[in-house]
Amino acid sequence: GELYCSLPNPRNVHFESVNMKNVLHWSAPEGMGDGVLYKVKYSVYGVGKWIRKPECRNTNRTWCDLSSETSDYEEQYYASVKAFLNGRCSDWVETARFNPLTDTKIDPPMVSVSSTEKSIAIILTAPEKWKRSPERESVSLLQVYPGLQYNVSVLNKKTKKRWFFSINNNTLLVPWLEPGTAYCVSAQIHVPTPLLHSGFSKEYCISTLKDKTA
Amino acid sequence: TVGNKIFHFGPCRVSMSMTEIRSGFNTIKANIQARDPIRTLSILSYPHSLHKVKSSDRCCVSHQLFNFYVDKVFRHCRTEDPYINRKISSIANSFLSIRRNFQQCQEQKNCVCDQESLEKLKQVLENYEGLNVTAAAMKALGELDILLDWME
């Protein structure tokens, strides 16, 4: 390899994180793509050494899953990428400091609905934190963010009237509804601090039962 | 105020504008952390994370760290960017009022550090004074989320 690295650098080296699945992404050096290989290393902020990621050594992919290495969300991290092509190399290019707790995106909650004649019962489930393997114990994001809240939207499909609720626990009973009417429910996660929120879930529609006395 | 959070330290209660501080910090975080080239040292987390502090000492350690930021850090955090400076001042003012809120806990003797926590605070100061003052102040400011994450 070269003593002095003359290859253009990888670009836009950054973490993309969803539910603390933390994946390093980058773009190929300007004007290059085919044949470029990469190496990846990472470090814990405040700790001296850089650690190589063997699974991403000499890879031609432009991403590298570092979820396992960055799973302790009480720590913060840096990662770095270097490009190689035909015996030439680039400099190491680093990410900004990555804080899994504040820099992750959160998926919408799971929504399940049931109905009676005049009410709808809604049960919400926060997504799980990324885990190394399915056998591992699940950790709900509710445990990571104890102040987690839900914003719930309920739409009367007939009148197009919509209500919004903000709740701390994961169940909501919406009373005094019209029998035999379709309602659509959508929900979002909101974490007051550190300030995070998911998108709204897709709509889950259900009809209240018909009024037996009518 | 919206976004204020009440922290309970035993019988003592301290109100903190966490949402305001967090959103102010989030807007300057990338800029401030980019000014800190030293990856191998953390002022707040070296050698041990704040998460090792005993819960009984959280009031005292929090109070002393707010003193540290008000007395030593913010005054050395000027940048060439007026927008960044305004955000830093806003955070500093929030810290000033929170520090006053801690005063009552101090007077009620509910905010006492034991030896282990005094060692931790001493280490923070040593880490800070081991760097030149501007570099140290910027590093400490860039670690504000470490303090806020631990407190919450």
Side-chain angles (χ1 to χ4, degrees):
Chain A
E2 292 174 308
L3 199 59
Y4 165 70
C5 290
S6 61
L7 200 67
N9 291 337
R11 295 166 297 156
N12 189 24
V13 182
H14 65 285
F15 276 97
E16 288 182 17
S17 172
V18 179
N19 303 337
M20 293 194 182
K21 176 181 171 69
N22 308 323
V23 181
L24 184 66
H25 284 263
W26 61 89
S27 309
E30 185 85 48
M32 299 188 169
D34 295 340
V36 182
L37 299 178
Y38 303 94
K39 275 183 186 177
V40 170
K41 63 182 181 182
Y42 65 93
S43 75
V44 178
Y45 172 64
V47 175
K49 53 191 180 358
W50 283 97
I51 303 166
R52 299 293 172 101
K53 171 75 172 175
E55 296 85 343
C56 299
R57 188 168 179 275
N58 296 332
T59 180
N60 58 2
R61 294 191 306 257
T62 57
W63 58 268
C64 174
D65 191 337
L66 292 173
S67 303
S68 209
E69 291 77 12
T70 56
S71 60
D72 180 355
Y73 53 82
E74 287 180 356
E75 298 286 359
Q76 300 189 14
Y77 305 89
Y78 285 91
S80 193
V81 182
K82 191 185 188 71
F84 295 87
L85 180 63
N86 305 333
R88 294 166 64 205
C89 60
S90 76
D91 296 329
W92 285 101
V93 178
E94 278 179 14
T95 62
R97 194 178 306 170
F98 174 65
N99 179 347
L101 194 68
T102 58
D103 298 343
T104 197
K105 289 191 173 49
I106 296 181
D107 277 337
M110 283 195 297
V111 179
S112 72
V113 289
S114 58
S115 66
T116 64
E117 266 180 48
K118 291 190 174 178
S119 70
I120 285 178
I122 302 164
I123 297 176
L124 303 163
T125 309
E128 287 175 9
K129 178 180 183 287
W130 171 87
K131 57 186 180 182
R132 282 190 177 86
S133 58
E135 309 78 45
R136 290 273 180 134
E137 188 201 348
S138 295
V139 174
S140 166
L141 287 183
L142 188 57
Q143 294 164 258
V144 178
Y145 304 102
L148 184 146
Q149 300 166 356
Y150 299 97
N151 295 333
V152 183
S153 149
V154 178
L155 170 73
N156 179 323
K157 289 275 276 184
K158 191 164 58 176
T159 64
K160 299 293 186 253
K161 184 176 179 186
R162 187 186 295 270
W163 299 275
F164 280 102
F165 304 86
S166 188
I167 56 173
N168 290 318
N169 59 344
N170 69 329
T171 55
L172 173 65
L173 184 71
V174 184
W176 305 315
L177 299 179
E178 291 175 49
T181 305
Y183 291 88
C184 291
V185 177
S186 174
Q188 169 195 46
I189 282 175
H190 170 65
V191 179
T193 175
L195 192 56
L196 293 170
H197 51 73
S198 72
F200 267 91
S201 67
K202 74 183 183 78
E203 281 193 332
Y204 294 81
C205 298
I206 190 168
S207 288
T208 48
L209 304 181
K210 290 200 172 10
D211 185 348
K212 298 189 186 75
T213 60
Chain B
T1 319
V2 172
N4 262 34
K5 190 169 180 174
I6 307 291
F7 282 75
H8 298 263
F9 299 108
C12 187
R13 280 205 292 254
V14 180
S15 170
M16 298 192 201
S17 46
M18 278 310 203
T19 303
E20 192 180 310
I21 293 171
R22 282 262 191 200
S23 73
F25 179 72
N26 282 345
T27 56
I28 62 173
K29 168 179 158 176
N31 181 295
I32 296 298
Q33 290 181 349
R35 295 167 190 262
D36 172 16
I38 306 168
R39 307 283 188 265
T40 53
L41 171 71
S42 163
I43 287 173
L44 295 182
S45 301
Y46 179 86
H48 303 302
S49 158
L50 282 172
H51 296 277
K52 299 275 192 292
V53 169
K54 288 190 302 232
S55 60
S56 55
D57 285 353
R58 275 181 59 240
C59 180
C60 172
V61 172
S62 305
H63 185 208
Q64 296 309 319
L65 288 177
F66 273 81
N67 285 338
F68 163 68
Y69 273 90
V70 168
D71 297 336
K72 286 192 174 285
V73 175
F74 292 125
R75 63 188 64 229
H76 296 295
C77 285
R78 288 207 67 75
T79 74
E80 72 295 339
D81 183 331
Y83 171 79
I84 300 283
N85 291 342
R86 274 199 311 278
K87 288 292 178 183
I88 294 171
S89 301
S90 163
I91 293 171
N93 289 332
S94 296
F95 267 56
L96 262 174
S97 66
I98 291 169
R99 183 168 78 158
R100 268 194 301 272
N101 295 343
F102 265 109
Q103 223 59 46
Q104 305 140 25
C105 294
Q106 201 81 45
E107 283 142 20
Q108 298 161 11
K109 302 279 184 295
N110 287 309
C111 216
V112 180
C113 275
D114 76 359
Q115 191 50 39
E116 199 178 326
S117 296
L118 291 176
E119 282 301 316
K120 173 63 189 175
L121 294 162
K122 189 165 148 255
Q123 180 71 62
V124 167
L125 287 179
E126 276 171 20
N127 294 341
Y128 185 80
E129 272 137 22
L131 303 171
N132 87 61
V133 67
T134 307
M138 279 301 165
K139 177 175 267 300
L141 181 58
E143 292 186 6
L144 216 52
D145 52 352
I146 293 177
L147 173 62
L148 302 176
D149 292 351
W150 167 65
M151 292 196 67
E152 293 188 291

